[in-house]
Amino acid sequence: MNKNKFSIKTGVIFIAAVTLIFLPKILDPFNTSKFLILLVTAFYLLGKINFGEDGKKFKFAKNRYVFIPLIMFMLFSTLSTFFSDNILMSLLGDTQRKNGLLSLLALSVYLIYFAKFSNFQNVFYISSALLFCGFINIAYGALQLIGADPIPWNNPYNSIIGTFGNPNFSSAFLAMFGIALFVYFWSNQIKWYLRFLIAAFLLATIPRLQLL
């Protein structure tokens, strides 16, 4: 197997894990579990960035258009964290979001990792992961809509929370999923019957977006 393809598949699997996995038994089933998975997987990918599958280090000069804006962003984020009134919250993020400096660092690792290993030939794996996660969220959201969710969530608001624990996050993700599905519809490699199924799916779901 091509080493770049293997590396991309590894990153894509990690993204899918962050998107889909949650632990219903803990106090914060969604944010905490995804936060921990994000940190652990980013730490693993960091080693791949430094040495990669072929033992070569990451060439920052080759990826300077990604790296320079990113390092400036992270520099100012770090400064704002340590000059904030609540350093711990700035580091870990708000209790209900986990979007602090550690999350930004982990996401930056992901960005650099894909900048190193991805190319136009293996974008298919990334789009396939987005479609896979989208269909899983749609199936799970359908169960929540009809009241067949196996997990008894205490949610007085919209019942469709998907694997994100929040109807706003779920609807935003499904919007990205719809765009990916629409682009996939026009792919030259797709069979005619798959185009028919995608068109039927989009026509059936668009009028129901108001439920999210």
Side-chain angles (χ1 to χ4, degrees), residues 54-70:
D54 53 3
K56 295 180 180 179
K57 292 187 176 181
F58 178 68
K59 297 179 181 179
F60 290 109
K62 183 180 178 181
N63 298 273
R64 61 186 180 276
Y65 297 112
V66 172
F67 182 72
I68 292 176
L70 181 62

Side-chain angles (χ1 to χ4, degrees), residues 121-133:
Q121 282 70 41
N122 51 39
V123 168
F124 169 78
Y125 298 110
I126 300 174
S127 59
S128 297
L130 177 58
L131 293 175
F132 174 75
C133 293

